[in-house]
Amino acid sequence: METLGYYNGIIGPLEELRIPMNDRACWFGDGVYDVSICAQYTIFALDEHIDRFFNSAALLYMTPRISKPELAELLNTLVRKLDSPTQFVYWQLTRGTAPRIHTFPEHTAPNLWVTLKPFTLPDIYGKIKLITVEDTRFFHCNIKTLNLLPNVLASEKAKQAGCAEAVFHRGNRVTECSHSNVYILKDGILRTAPLDNLILPGISRAHIIVQCGKLGIPVDETPFTMEELFAADEIMISSTSSFCMSASHLDGYQVGGKAPELLRQIQDALWTEFHQVTGSAL
Ligand code: PLP
């Protein structure tokens, strides 16, 4: 074979193998991988790569269906199927196959993928050019990206704590939630984080701001702190599927409940707009 793909025991040319759309890799990039190079059909530092792979998986609360020696044996067997003795040996584990939901699905087991392709060893004594780039990884929250791993982990943590959502903060600054935007009502003003790279520009958020304008409720889009969150008259979250819901507890403490009429005005406005636009019954 010239290339090889393996998916949970199914083997074929890499270009022909298909994975199910519900694989968590497609929805959330929810998985881990490792890679090594093999020459003369010998995979370099394989045990170390497998150790790291299992460690990465454990950090994401995933347990491969096979043991370390079994994985080593599988990879060593697969590389022998390729014509080329020098290969790029890549394998990954994804959380499983399940309909899209942020929290960990219950009735699925991790999927193991392996891909093998010929590799040309580099000229390691040659000179290369470099550039510098500011490290902005995990600072792209304004992009509705598939790479939702931090969101998935926070969402699962909320679920484990018997909560519906997790509110993110960066230091003392409250940003948004794992799959919603967050707001506070304080002294008649609706506050929510500004649109920058630290939050997703929620469609519901935009509608809530418009509705507040119509209702004459002032909106303040400047960052607010954890103390302000805990001391808010009301805490509200919004998303396309949850619309706008308020919170009664935060980290186990009772919160909000001090401006129910104002909260209700905002909720009614968004709810009415939704039903009017969709022509559905209120
Ligand atoms: N923030 C994050 C991280 C989200 O994933 C979502 C929705 O998925 C939102 C905010 C709310 O956005 P929208 O109101 O467009 O659903």
Side-chain angles (χ1 to χ4, degrees):
M1 293 174 86
E2 286 180 15
T3 65
L4 179 145
Y6 167 102
Y7 186 77
N8 287 341
I10 298 167
I11 296 174
L14 185 51
E15 298 73 16
E16 287 173 20
L17 220 66
R18 298 283 175 266
I19 54 150
M21 274 185 83
N22 268 341
D23 187 299
R24 296 270 291 185
C26 305
W27 298 129
F28 299 112
D30 188 3
V32 297
Y33 76 98
D34 223 298
V35 66
S36 184
I37 298 300
C38 99
Q40 290 304 108
Y41 295 106
T42 299
I43 306 172
F44 182 68
L46 181 57
D47 288 347
E48 289 155 67
H49 282 283
I50 287 182
D51 278 347
R52 184 174 64 182
F53 179 68
F54 271 68
N55 192 44
S56 300
L59 288 170
L60 290 186
Y61 314 105
M62 290 194 289
T63 311
R65 296 187 221 193
I66 61 174
S67 66
K68 289 182 184 180
E70 285 168 341
L71 177 58
E73 194 187 327
L74 173 68
L75 294 170
N76 282 324
T77 306
L78 293 178
V79 294
R80 289 266 160 205
K81 295 186 185 296
L82 245 65
D83 305 329
S84 165
T86 310
Q87 301 167 31
F88 187 86
V89 184
Y90 175 105
W91 62 99
Q92 71 178 33
L93 190 77
T94 64
R95 193 174 304 282
T97 309
R100 187 182 186 279
I101 175 174
H102 278 65
T103 53
F104 300 168
E106 276 165 19
H107 304 293
T108 185
N111 298 321
L112 180 64
W113 315 24
V114 182
T115 67
L116 304 179
K117 57 183 186 181
F119 184 71
T120 307
L121 293 173
D123 167 16
I124 66 157
Y125 302 106
K127 291 285 181 194
I128 53 170
K129 294 178 183 172
L130 305 173
I131 60 163
T132 60
V133 175
E134 190 178 342
D135 189 347
T136 60
R137 291 172 296 171
F138 299 108
F139 281 93
H140 295 291
C141 306
N142 51 326
I143 305 168
K144 207 161 168 58
T145 164
L146 283 181
N147 296 125
L148 289 174
L149 211 44
N151 310 52
V152 165
L153 294 178
S155 197
E156 177 66 18
K157 196 169 177 185
K159 184 182 166 191
Q160 299 281 337
C163 297
E165 248 298 19
V167 183
F168 284 129
H169 58 91
R170 298 204 183 222
N172 204 21
R173 175 175 169 180
V174 177
T175 53
E176 60 172 345
C177 300
S178 73
H179 44 89
S180 329
N181 291 112
V182 64
Y183 312 75
I184 55 174
L185 279 171
K186 188 69 180 175
D187 301 331
I189 298 172
L190 182 83
R191 295 189 63 185
T192 192
L195 289 185
D196 58 15
N197 63 321
L198 299 183
I199 71 161
L200 187 81
I203 305 295
S204 325
R205 179 186 179 281
H207 281 245
I208 286 168
I209 290 173
V210 169
Q211 292 299 343
C212 283
K214 290 185 185 166
L215 292 165
I217 300 169
V219 177
D220 178 2
E221 294 177 71
T222 55
F224 59 88
T225 64
M226 292 287 278
E227 288 80 24
E228 288 171 311
L229 180 68
F230 275 96
D233 294 339
E234 300 286 353
I235 300 177
M236 189 176 86
I237 65 160
S238 80
S239 73
T240 297
S241 54
S242 71
F243 296 88
C244 48
M245 297 179 70
S246 63
S248 61
H249 288 81
L250 184 62
D251 289 340
Y253 297 100
Q254 220 164 359
V255 288
K258 297 191 212 89
E261 292 87 9
L262 193 59
L263 171 70
R264 184 66 193 226
Q265 266 187 292
I266 299 170
Q267 290 177 311
D268 282 350
L270 192 70
W271 205 223
T272 305
E273 184 196 359
F274 173 77
H275 286 292
Q276 278 174 352
V277 170
T278 58
S280 55
L282 251 178

